[in-house]
Amino acid sequence: MFSPLAFPSGRLLFDLTTAYPPESHIALFPFELYRTPLAIVGIADGQNAPEDAIDGLKASTSDSEESIGSNITTFLNNLSQDRETMIGNFSKALVHQIMVFDLESASNRLPEGICFVPSPAKSKVTTVKTIMCDLASQILGGMTSLAKSIQASTTLESPRTSGSSVYRPLAEYAVSSRPTSAERNQRPFSPANEPQKQDYRKSMPAHILSNLGSRSSTPDSRATSPPSRVRTPPTTFEEMPGTPGSSPPPKRAEIRRPTSQDLGSMQGFGSGDRERIKLQGRIGIAVGAMFLLAGRWPDAVKELVEGATLARAYNDHAWHAKALDYLLVCCLMYAWADMDFRIPQVMYPTAEKSGAKSSHTPSNSLPDLSATASSNSNRDASLRSLAALLPELVNVILNLYARAWTFSDDKIPQLVFSESGIRFSKLLVPIERSDGRIDENVLKCVVLNVVFEPKKTDPDQTATFPTKADITAFLFRAFPKSRSDTSMTTADRTVILSGIASVLSELGHHRKKAFVFKEILSGLVPALIQARKNGAAELGVHPAASLASLDAALDGQRSQSLEVPYRESEPGMQSFLALICSSFGILLATNDGAHQDHNTEDPDASVLNSSEAVAYHATQHAYSKSFGSQELKTHVLQLCISICEALPDLGGILRFSAELLRTCGSGKAPGSDSSNSAPFLDAEDQLRLSNKISRTVSAAKQFGLENLETEYWDDFLVRGIEFINPSSSKTPSPHARNELEVVATIETEAKKDPFLYNPFLQAKTKAAKPLLVANEEAIFQVTLQNMYDFDLEIESIELECDGISFAAASQGATIGPYRTQGLFLTGIPSSAGALKLTGCIAKIKGCRRRRFPLFEKSWALKKDVKVKHTALTNSMVERPSDISLEPNTAKSKPTKGLTGPITSSISVDVIGVQPQVVVKSISLPQSALMLLEGETKVFTVTLRNVSQTVAADLLLLSFDDSTAAQLQAAMNSNELSPTDFYELELASSKKPLRWRRGDIDPDPMIGPSQELTLDIEVVGKPGLSHGTIQADYGYIGGSRTSVKDRFYTRQVSIPLTITVNASVDLARTNLLPFSSTFAWRNQQRLLALPPSASEKPSPSTHRQSLTPRSSNHKSKTVDNRFQALLQRIGISPNSETQHCLLLLDCRNSWPTPLSISIQIRSSSSSFSSPSTTSTDSPHNGSAAATDPWKRAYTVHETIHPGHTARLVLLLPRLRIQNPYAPIPHLDPRTKRQFVVGSGKDSNDLEAQMKAREAFWFREEILSLMRATWTEEKTGRTGEVNLRNLRLGPKMVEAVRMPEVEIRMEVSLGNRSSNNKKRRSESSEEGEEGEEEEEEHGTIEQTGPTTYVVPLHMPLILTVTLTNRLLAPIHPLLRLQPLVAGPHPHHVALDLGRKFLVHGSLQQVMPVLQPGESKT
């Protein structure tokens, strides 16, 4: 019957499976033969055979048993025993074969059912093909035996359900379904209408009923033996045609089977005959199914038509439906094979109508088997007829199954009914998509299971094929009953529901498919849990035991058997669960890390290997959360987790637990003021999921699965990266090339101009880009986000950078629940260049190591409320057309609808290797010192370059102190007068800290691992409490002129604590006029000396004679002291003769006596700048020939603690060429061309002029004075600050010389005229007048302006005018004689009897030029 020689070019398609079907499927034999395996093939590895047996098989050349060794015999016997065991376990299979791979034998005699398959290297092209052909021949031979056994059987039962309850849902589906055209007028299956049932049986065609009698005579002919004229099918290859000794195969026409014409006389038979005829029909259907499996479609159609006719005639509904099902398959196969066929009449439902006459007999409806090339017209007509017949035919088939359940004992299982409904629905879908036509694409989709691609059709063509809604309603007839029914196993129920979901997916009903998937999960969870409980009970473990203990027991069993290591569940389960999740809009990780062979150490192994991919991934997940029910998604994921726990599938537990955390999260990057970012789940559920992930990872490690991990559930882990500036000693500062020239200027011109711009003293501003130094550690603060209510344990995290090489350090951390937390990460750049930080690479516990880009800005998905998007399409979540697929960076343009999060980056610049200088030592204990005001101390600072490779070839010292800020704050006031502002500028210019260079190189350099010692000078200044020594250093790698663009420096700051105590303060000052008589007398005394004595003494002798020294100062009285001062006045030829008296009250604020020395020099030197004169030291230039202090006199005084001493000093009167010049600005930065006064006297011009005059005279006085103090016990010395001197208007008048000097001299007049006059007067007086004349004949000068003149003598008054102004004058001289003494004004002017004047007392003088004198 199934000889392969009959069809040499035929082929068999094997459906290979590694699992034996369940008993519920095997129980369907012979109703559905394709469910029972036909062949069982055992696979053996020939390399595991004993070596001597392998060698013996290779060396054996004889077929005798003696040539085979004992080891070979044992090996083959073991294989035979294994085959017998396999036959016993799988007895219903037709063929049992063991294939030993990678082994060959030279012997041709092997035990039955054992074959050797050589290795690929030793195989020929046809080796494996020959082996499979032999296997196919055995299967076909077994099918022949099976067909004969079926034909010889006396009973052929229909499959029945395992339960005893009546399947009411099937009956309800049948009643509620749409009736066919044959059922609209009569419903023979109705239990309330028995007469109609009898009428239905009489409604068969007359020629069928008339021929039943011919079959009744031999009802068991097929069951006993075949007819005599029919040749028995060959059972061996020798009996097959084409082999030696075999006879030609009989023709198909000679095999006579009871036909429909033999059924005419069967009406009125009893129940026994009825059952025998039903048996013949069932046997024909079963044999036809076998012909269909073997590919012999014509024989299958003939057997199926006859069997369907008998089953319909005797109301064998189940087998009738199965026969129609097989016939439909035959028609489709004919159409796919491009063969001409005609639809059998038995397939038309109209044949069931009462009194209907069929135009085709079953015999005439058979296809013409001789025609292999189809006629297009006949084939197309058949296809159109089949397409029109198909909807009603499949409905009739399901109705027949329902009738079998309702009106007979053939209660077929739900599995058969449901699978038929799913199969028919899947057949209707491509036809519906092809507008109701069966074309080549439809046939390829149905037969070959290729993707259906509908062609464009004529839109005017109308189709009456059922719609999607009709197909959906038909499909749901196959929906199984409730889960509480035990008639269907969980596996079968899952398969049925999966098939329904597949058809719904093709129809585009994704919501219905999602709910079907949910029903699958709901049925799987309790079944798997119960199976696990049963397994735990068999192992003697409590069902609530941990996964590790349960699997440890399983490992014990494995070790005793095959030692199979732990393996996860089949990949198809996770794919199936992922498909279910996608149906509900849940996006799972595209590249899951929960696999053992996954490289979790490489972040590039994931799809999320770039910032753009992560941003798009986050946008996808956020969009998937914007639709659907969160509760439903959560429930589905919990079901997936339960299934994975019951399997157990550790990878699935991790995957779906992480996805549940992601789904319940907010899916946004919240800002600082956002409070709606809490997860959807409760805190307890979140904590439970976190613990579950930890336990699963621990259990996986116990099984040796080190890389079993999942994706982290929050893409917005990194929310900020900030560079942490190191200490000031390590922070590099950029400088322009021109600032390098300022360094040289500061080093050389600091004393001349203390207000030179020093860029190194400016406050450092935050650079636009952080600066890193090559080969030095950099610190960054990373802000991490945890929006869940459990602690997040990070096993390792490090910075991710682009650009130059960067060695990032890894560390662990724990982030608290629902917070953002800072973490410090470090790294070392290896070279100079640009570096960009894009995020972090982190390894969270239980999750794979992956990238986390930086998301600094807050983000949340915003949908366009005016646009409605389709959530699910083609069983997956698709983005709408307005979601941006471009990389979401700061430069990307905003899209029209939805925009993803913006990834950020931190750019830093890395400079070359720089030196590191530290302070090795300082001579001050604890960097603190105490000194008095005006005192100067020197200490040392040692710097060391700790760098081993680079030198510090650039060094600049700068100083800062506490007084600078105070003075600057005071100068910022707008109420300062110009004098006060000048004082503040002058005080600011006198720095209390200075670098005493000495013999140090002008360009000092600190080599690698070398030191440099600096001498620092500190001057006590009021208000000085602390100071800072700032050393700026760097490496320029050559001369300063070689720097082209920029250079960088670092800074070492040395803080100092300074205590300044008060020493000598200037409490009060006063200036009084002083007579010039002392100077005139000294000059007169000097003129009276002999010429040898009147020579100019030496300076030393002069100082010893005229200057009171400190050695004998204590023994002298005040009179002696002033006597010495008075004796000095006017002795110098160029000395001034006019002086004023300066009174200074000095107070000692130090608890020990202090000796004060005040020096005053002459004003013969030219006037100099106050800023220069006031900063000169009293110890500088004492040996110089041009020192103005060389001939200064000194006044000494010892002041006891807390006492005030008044010092009286003679100060020469001063003359200033321009006393009303503007008050200057010492700082060039404060100089302005036009200055508007802001003080209280800004509008009073006279007050401003007086202030300027007082300022210039005060500066001139301070330039002539200097004072020092000395502590005798300790030898400490310092300067006294004299700038507290203030001048009032009277004091200015006392010190100022007149602008026009007037000198008067009195001399005797003409002597003759005087004698005449005196004679005329003395003639009346007598002789007394002559004596008086002799006595008063001369003039005596007693002072510079005091004369003793004789009476009655003519006197000549000579007046000399000197112009000391800068401009010429035109004077008018007027003499006003007065009576000396304290007389009233009118008495003083009454000179009529006391003084006679000859001539005019007022006259006009000629013009006097500047500096000119006229008499």
Side-chain angles (χ1 to χ4, degrees):
M1 295 177 64
F2 303 101
S3 174
L5 300 180
F7 300 95
S9 61
R11 295 183 181 180
L12 288 182
L13 300 179
F14 292 101
D15 183 12
L16 303 178
T17 179
T18 58
Y20 194 73
E23 293 297 331
S24 60
H25 291 197
I26 300 299
L28 296 178
F29 180 86
F31 187 74
E32 291 182 344
L33 292 173
Y34 60 87
R35 296 186 183 273
T36 304
L38 300 179
I40 302 296
V41 180
I43 304 298
D45 187 2
Q47 299 298 327
N48 294 332
E51 294 183 0
D52 51 356
I54 296 176
D55 297 337
L57 290 172
K58 293 180 180 179
S60 178
T61 57
S62 175
D63 296 338
S64 62
E65 293 291 340
E66 291 78 6
S67 63
I68 302 176
S70 59
N71 292 330
I72 301 176
T73 305
T74 304
F75 176 67
L76 296 178
N77 291 336
N78 292 335
L79 292 178
S80 299
Q81 292 178 3
D82 293 338
R83 181 174 178 274
E84 294 298 329
T85 303
M86 189 168 59
I87 294 174
N89 294 334
F90 310 105
S91 59
K92 293 188 177 182
L94 302 181
V95 178
H96 299 82
Q97 182 83 17
I98 292 182
M99 296 183 180
V100 184
F101 283 83
D102 294 340
L103 188 63
E104 56 182 346
S105 174
S107 174
N108 295 327
R109 299 188 59 182
L110 292 176
E112 183 182 0
I114 298 175
C115 67
F116 290 167
V117 182
S119 61
K122 298 181 180 180
S123 299
K124 298 180 181 180
V125 179
T126 59
T127 300
V128 177
K129 185 177 181 181
T130 303
I131 294 174
M132 295 305 297
C133 288
D134 294 341
L135 179 63
S137 298
Q138 296 180 24
I139 293 175
L140 292 176
M143 291 178 63
T144 302
S145 301
L146 178 61
K148 293 176 61 177
S149 64
I150 292 176
Q151 291 175 352
S153 62
T154 58
T155 58
L156 202 60
E157 297 292 337
S158 298
R160 299 185 181 183
T161 59
S162 59
S164 59
S165 60
V166 179
Y167 183 30
R168 297 301 180 186
L170 279 177
E172 294 173 1
Y173 279 132
V175 173
S176 59
S177 60
R178 291 188 304 172
T180 61
S181 58
E183 296 170 345
R184 292 189 179 97
N185 298 326
Q186 51 183 341
R187 300 178 62 181
F189 54 86
S190 176
N193 197 356
E194 185 67 22
Q196 292 183 2
K197 185 175 181 180
Q198 301 297 331
D199 295 339
Y200 168 73
R201 294 181 177 179
K202 295 179 181 179
S203 62
M204 284 186 175
H207 64 276
I208 296 180
L209 297 178
S210 61
N211 294 332
L212 288 177
S214 61
R215 293 287 300 270
S216 61
S217 59
T218 57
D220 298 332
S221 60
R222 183 175 300 196
T224 57
S225 62
S228 59
R229 61 179 178 274
V230 178
R231 184 180 178 85
T232 304
T235 58
T236 61
F237 288 103
E238 288 79 2
E239 299 176 0
M240 294 182 180
T243 58
S246 63
S247 60
K251 296 182 180 180
R252 181 63 187 170
E254 299 178 357
I255 304 177
R256 187 181 184 281
R257 300 282 299 278
T259 60
S260 58
Q261 297 177 357
D262 299 333
L263 304 179
S265 61
M266 294 183 67
Q267 185 174 3
F269 276 21
S271 60
D273 297 336
R274 186 182 185 88
E275 293 299 326
R276 284 192 297 270
I277 296 177
K278 288 175 61 176
L279 176 61
Q280 296 301 323
R282 293 182 179 184
I283 292 174
I285 295 173
V287 174
M290 296 181 66
F291 279 120
L292 180 60
L293 287 177
R296 298 177 62 174
W297 304 333
D299 297 335
V301 171
K302 179 175 179 59
E303 295 291 340
L304 292 173
V305 168
E306 294 178 356
T309 303
L310 294 176
R312 183 178 62 178
Y314 289 94
N315 294 331
D316 195 358
H317 302 300
W319 290 85
H320 181 198
K322 180 56 63 178
L324 294 179
D325 191 356
Y326 287 150
L327 287 173
L328 176 60
V329 173
C330 292
C331 293
L332 293 174
M333 297 303 295
Y334 273 118
W336 170 75
D338 200 15
M339 299 173 63
D340 189 13
F341 69 97
R342 285 176 293 178
I343 301 175
Q345 186 66 28
V346 72
M347 295 178 62
Y348 286 96
T350 55
E352 297 181 1
K353 290 185 179 181
S354 177
K357 299 295 183 180
S358 177
S359 60
H360 299 280
T361 61
S363 60
N364 294 332
S365 63
L366 295 179
D368 187 3
L369 303 180
S370 61
T372 56
S374 65
S375 175
N376 291 333
S377 59
N378 295 335
R379 181 174 177 275
D380 293 341
S382 299
L383 289 177
R384 287 193 296 270
S385 300
L386 181 61
L389 173 65
L390 188 60
E392 197 168 6
L393 176 63
V394 296
N395 197 15
V396 168
I397 294 175
L398 290 188
N399 289 339
L400 289 174
Y401 282 133
R403 291 179 188 178
W405 184 277
T406 307
F407 300 106
S408 65
D409 295 334
D410 297 336
K411 303 183 184 302
I412 62 172
Q414 174 70 30
L415 176 65
V416 177
F417 181 85
S418 298
E419 283 192 352
S420 300
I422 295 171
R423 188 166 57 252
F424 296 150
S425 300
K426 196 174 183 64
L427 175 61
L428 295 176
V429 170
I431 302 176
E432 187 274 334
R433 295 177 62 186
S434 185
D435 294 336
R437 288 192 300 269
I438 300 178
D439 52 10
E440 299 298 331
N441 291 335
V442 172
L443 294 174
K444 290 180 180 180
C445 177
V446 172
V447 178
L448 302 180
N449 197 23
V450 298
V451 179
F452 177 72
E453 297 179 357
K455 296 181 179 180
K456 295 183 179 180
T457 57
D458 187 6
D460 297 335
Q461 182 180 359
T462 60
T464 59
F465 202 79
T467 61
K468 289 184 178 181
D470 298 333
I471 298 176
T472 304
F474 179 81
L475 174 65
F476 272 100
R477 295 180 63 182
F479 199 91
K481 51 187 175 180
S482 63
R483 295 191 299 269
S484 59
D485 186 22
T486 59
S487 61
M488 180 180 292
T489 62
T490 304
D492 294 340
R493 178 182 176 85
T494 303
V495 172
I496 294 302
L497 293 177
S498 301
I500 294 175
S502 176
V503 178
L504 290 175
S505 177
E506 296 181 4
L507 290 172
H509 297 323
H510 301 290
R511 290 171 57 90
K512 294 181 176 63
K513 181 191 71 172
F515 282 99
V516 172
F517 279 154
K518 183 175 178 295
E519 186 69 19
I520 294 175
L521 296 182
S522 301
L524 283 177
V525 170
L528 292 175
I529 293 176
Q530 183 62 34
R532 183 170 182 179
K533 290 180 180 180
N534 297 337
E538 292 176 1
L539 295 174
V541 181
H542 193 273
S546 63
L547 179 65
S549 61
L550 178 60
D551 288 329
L554 292 176
D555 285 340
Q557 293 182 356
R558 295 190 189 102
S559 62
Q560 297 174 5
S561 56
L562 298 178
E563 297 183 358
V564 179
Y566 174 81
R567 185 175 60 88
E568 298 179 16
S569 62
E570 295 293 335
M573 176 56 71
Q574 286 201 23
S575 301
F576 172 66
L577 296 178
L579 178 62
I580 294 176
C581 292
S582 65
S583 301
F584 286 89
I586 302 172
L587 286 184
L588 296 177
T590 54
N591 186 11
D592 184 61
H595 295 288
Q596 184 178 358
D597 57 348
H598 189 73
N599 185 11
T600 60
E601 298 300 327
D602 186 11
D604 292 330
S606 172
V607 175
L608 307 177
N609 57 358
S610 64
S611 300
E612 293 79 7
V614 175
Y616 176 63
H617 183 258
T619 307
Q620 275 190 320
H621 279 275
Y623 178 72
S624 66
K625 296 176 184 179
S626 63
F627 58 84
S629 172
Q630 289 294 107
E631 293 85 353
L632 189 57
K633 294 179 182 179
T634 302
H635 181 61
V636 170
L637 288 172
Q638 289 175 345
L639 291 176
C640 293
I641 295 173
S642 300
I643 290 176
C644 294
E645 287 179 339
L647 286 176
D649 183 3
L650 302 183
I653 296 174
L654 292 178
R655 183 181 188 185
F656 293 106
S657 297
E659 190 59 36
L660 179 55
L661 289 174
R662 180 189 294 272
T663 302
C664 72
S666 60
K668 63 178 66 174
S672 58
D673 56 346
S674 179
S675 59
N676 57 347
S677 303
F680 180 76
L681 282 180
D682 296 336
E684 294 79 5
D685 295 335
Q686 298 178 42
L687 183 60
R688 190 179 300 109
L689 287 174
S690 176
N691 296 334
K692 183 177 298 183
I693 292 175
S694 301
R695 290 196 305 268
T696 304
V697 172
S698 301
K701 291 182 178 179
Q702 293 179 8
F703 293 119
L705 305 178
E706 298 293 336
N707 297 332
L708 188 63
E709 294 166 341
T710 184
E711 291 283 351
Y712 182 60
W713 44 86
D714 187 6
D715 295 325
F716 304 101
L717 176 65
V718 181
R719 296 304 310 280
I721 300 177
E722 182 180 1
F723 175 69
I724 301 300
N725 291 318
S727 60
S728 58
S729 61
K730 294 185 178 181
T731 303
S733 301
H735 300 278
R737 183 178 181 275
N738 55 0
E739 294 182 6
L740 194 60
E741 302 174 357
V742 178
V743 175
T745 305
I746 292 174
E747 294 175 349
T748 57
E749 304 293 335
K751 291 185 177 180
K752 296 181 180 180
D753 189 358
F755 294 100
L756 285 174
Y757 170 70
N758 189 353
F760 300 93
L761 273 180
Q762 302 300 317
K764 295 182 179 180
T765 58
K766 187 176 182 181
K769 289 184 179 180
L771 288 177
L772 275 66
V773 182
N775 297 333
E776 293 188 13
E777 186 180 61
I779 303 176
F780 295 86
Q781 182 179 9
V782 180
T783 303
L784 303 179
Q785 166 185 293
N786 179 19
M787 292 290 101
Y788 295 86
D789 296 323
F790 55 86
D791 292 337
L792 181 64
E793 183 176 353
I794 301 177
E795 295 181 354
S796 65
I797 183 172
E798 61 186 47
L799 294 170
E800 182 192 17
C801 306
D802 294 336
I804 63 174
S805 177
F806 184 81
S810 177
Q811 69 180 62
T814 300
I815 306 178
Y818 201 74
R819 68 187 63 186
T820 56
Q821 183 173 324
L823 181 65
F824 293 99
L825 299 179
T826 60
I828 300 177
S830 59
S831 60
L835 187 66
K836 183 171 70 172
L837 283 79
T838 58
C840 295
I841 297 177
K843 171 70 172 64
I844 291 89
K845 184 177 181 180
C847 303
R848 60 178 299 273
R849 187 170 179 263
R850 54 159 287 193
R851 278 185 180 84
F852 290 95
L854 172 61
F855 295 100
E856 286 187 333
K857 298 182 180 180
S858 59
W859 176 84
L861 185 66
K862 296 180 180 180
K863 293 181 59 179
D864 189 358
V865 296
K866 297 182 180 180
V867 180
K868 181 179 179 181
H869 303 298
T870 302
L872 296 177
T873 304
N874 295 332
S875 301
M876 61 180 296
V877 175
E878 295 182 348
R879 59 175 183 85
S881 58
D882 53 357
I883 295 182
S884 175
L885 275 176
E886 298 179 356
N888 293 304
T889 58
K891 297 182 179 180
S892 62
K893 298 181 180 180
T895 53
K896 177 182 178 181
L898 306 178
T899 56
I902 299 177
T903 58
S904 305
S905 61
I906 304 298
S907 299
V908 295
D909 293 333
V910 182
I911 61 177
V913 181
Q914 296 293 319
Q916 294 187 24
V917 177
V918 297
V919 179
K920 181 182 179 182
S921 62
I922 183 171
S923 61
L924 296 177
Q926 299 181 358
S927 300
L929 76 160
M930 188 277 294
L931 66 163
L932 302 179
E933 292 183 7
E935 185 181 4
T936 302
K937 285 188 177 181
V938 179
F939 62 93
T940 60
V941 176
T942 302
L943 302 178
R944 178 179 177 82
N945 183 10
V946 298
S947 177
Q948 303 292 332
T949 57
V950 63
D953 55 2
L954 176 64
L955 180 64
L956 175 66
L957 286 186
S958 305
F959 304 93
D960 192 14
D961 58 272
S962 58
T963 62
Q966 300 174 6
L967 294 173
Q968 185 62 38
M971 286 189 293
N972 292 334
S973 176
N974 296 328
E975 301 297 331
L976 293 176
S977 63
T979 303
D980 296 336
F981 191 81
Y982 177 86
E983 288 297 322
L984 294 175
E985 283 189 325
L986 183 61
S988 178
S989 65
K990 296 180 179 180
K991 305 297 182 182
L993 295 173
R994 291 188 292 269
W995 179 17
R996 182 177 289 182
R997 284 181 173 270
D999 298 334
I1000 296 180
D1001 187 4
D1003 297 330
M1005 182 180 69
I1006 308 176
S1009 303
Q1010 294 184 2
E1011 300 176 358
L1012 177 65
T1013 302
L1014 308 174
D1015 295 334
I1016 307 299
E1017 183 181 86
V1018 185
V1019 179
K1021 186 177 181 181
L1024 180 63
S1025 61
H1026 58 273
T1028 303
I1029 303 174
Q1030 177 179 309
D1032 293 276
Y1033 63 92
Y1035 174 73
I1036 57 179
S1039 62
R1040 297 181 178 181
T1041 58
S1042 62
V1043 179
K1044 297 181 179 180
D1045 187 12
R1046 300 176 70 86
F1047 67 98
Y1048 299 89
T1049 62
R1050 283 178 168 175
Q1051 187 180 99
V1052 176
S1053 297
I1054 308 172
L1056 301 175
T1057 302
I1058 305 173
T1059 303
V1060 178
N1061 295 321
S1063 56
V1064 177
D1065 300 329
L1066 187 61
R1068 291 178 296 275
T1069 60
N1070 197 5
L1071 282 172
L1072 299 176
F1074 188 73
S1075 176
S1076 61
T1077 304
F1078 296 97
W1080 179 81
R1081 287 180 179 179
N1082 291 335
Q1083 291 176 357
Q1084 293 299 323
R1085 186 174 66 254
L1086 186 63
L1087 293 174
L1089 294 176
S1092 60
S1094 62
E1095 293 180 0
K1096 182 178 179 181
S1098 63
S1100 60
T1101 305
H1102 181 69
R1103 286 196 300 270
Q1104 292 177 1
S1105 60
L1106 297 180
T1107 303
R1109 304 304 300 164
S1110 60
S1111 59
N1112 56 6
H1113 172 67
K1114 297 180 182 179
S1115 62
K1116 290 183 178 182
T1117 61
V1118 177
D1119 296 337
N1120 295 334
R1121 193 187 314 159
F1122 281 110
Q1123 184 178 0
L1125 291 176
L1126 295 177
Q1127 291 177 358
R1128 185 179 182 275
I1129 299 176
I1131 62 176
S1132 178
N1134 297 326
S1135 63
E1136 298 290 345
T1137 59
Q1138 297 185 17
H1139 292 78
C1140 60
L1141 195 64
L1142 176 62
L1143 303 179
L1144 298 178
D1145 293 344
C1146 298
R1147 184 177 184 276
N1148 180 13
S1149 301
W1150 186 241
T1152 60
L1154 296 177
S1155 297
I1156 184 174
S1157 300
I1158 301 180
Q1159 286 183 304
I1160 296 181
R1161 64 179 177 86
S1162 63
S1163 62
S1164 59
S1165 62
S1166 59
F1167 179 74
S1168 59
S1169 174
S1171 62
T1172 306
T1173 312
S1174 60
T1175 56
D1176 291 338
S1177 174
H1179 306 288
N1180 296 338
S1182 60
T1186 59
D1187 186 12
W1189 297 95
K1190 183 177 180 181
R1191 300 186 60 82
Y1193 73 93
T1194 307
V1195 176
H1196 303 277
E1197 184 67 40
T1198 300
I1199 308 176
H1200 293 280
H1203 289 217
T1204 301
R1206 174 166 290 184
L1207 303 180
V1208 181
L1209 303 171
L1210 287 178
L1211 185 68
R1213 298 184 69 182
L1214 305 175
R1215 61 175 180 269
I1216 299 177
Q1217 295 180 355
N1218 185 15
Y1220 305 108
I1223 299 175
H1225 289 271
L1226 301 181
D1227 190 355
R1229 295 171 296 179
T1230 60
K1231 290 183 179 180
R1232 290 170 290 180
Q1233 184 175 2
F1234 302 100
V1235 180
V1236 179
S1238 57
K1240 60 181 180 179
D1241 298 332
S1242 59
N1243 298 326
D1244 191 351
L1245 182 60
E1246 183 179 356
Q1248 293 183 10
M1249 300 303 290
K1250 289 182 179 180
R1252 291 180 180 181
E1253 184 181 22
F1255 170 80
W1256 288 114
F1257 276 101
R1258 175 174 172 271
E1259 292 300 315
E1260 185 65 19
I1261 291 173
L1262 293 176
S1263 67
L1264 302 178
M1265 298 174 59
R1266 66 182 181 182
T1268 59
W1269 58 265
T1270 304
E1271 187 178 12
E1272 299 295 341
K1273 293 182 180 180
T1274 60
R1276 300 170 66 177
T1277 183
E1279 295 183 357
V1280 179
N1281 185 16
L1282 299 177
R1283 297 204 64 85
N1284 291 334
L1285 178 66
R1286 293 292 184 266
L1287 299 181
K1290 292 183 179 181
M1291 299 170 68
V1292 173
E1293 292 295 332
V1295 74
R1296 180 178 58 189
M1297 295 184 68
E1299 297 175 351
V1300 179
E1301 182 180 1
I1302 302 175
R1303 294 193 304 270
M1304 294 183 293
E1305 294 181 0
V1306 179
S1307 62
L1308 293 174
N1310 191 356
R1311 193 173 185 81
S1312 61
S1313 59
N1314 291 338
N1315 290 336
K1316 290 180 180 180
K1317 185 177 181 180
R1318 294 187 59 177
R1319 290 190 190 99
S1320 62
E1321 293 179 352
S1322 63
S1323 62
E1324 301 178 355
E1325 296 179 356
E1327 295 179 356
E1328 294 179 354
E1330 293 179 359
E1331 296 176 358
E1332 188 176 358
E1333 180 181 0
E1334 291 294 332
E1335 183 179 1
H1336 302 285
T1338 61
I1339 299 174
E1340 181 183 1
Q1341 185 177 3
T1342 59
T1345 59
T1346 305
Y1347 292 87
V1348 178
V1349 298
L1351 296 174
H1352 308 292
M1353 291 294 291
L1355 302 173
I1356 298 175
L1357 179 62
T1358 303
V1359 180
T1360 302
L1361 299 180
T1362 302
N1363 182 13
R1364 294 178 175 173
L1365 298 176
L1366 298 177
I1369 61 174
H1370 194 182
L1372 174 64
L1373 178 62
R1374 180 183 180 183
L1375 300 177
Q1376 182 68 47
L1378 296 174
V1379 178
H1383 301 290
H1385 186 67
H1386 64 280
V1387 175
L1389 293 178
D1390 188 9
L1391 300 176
R1393 292 181 297 177
K1394 297 179 180 180
F1395 192 80
L1396 296 177
V1397 179
H1398 178 73
S1400 175
L1401 296 178
Q1402 179 175 338
Q1403 59 180 342
V1404 178
M1405 297 290 291
V1407 177
L1408 295 179
Q1409 298 298 327
E1412 184 181 1
S1413 299
K1414 288 188 178 181
T1415 303

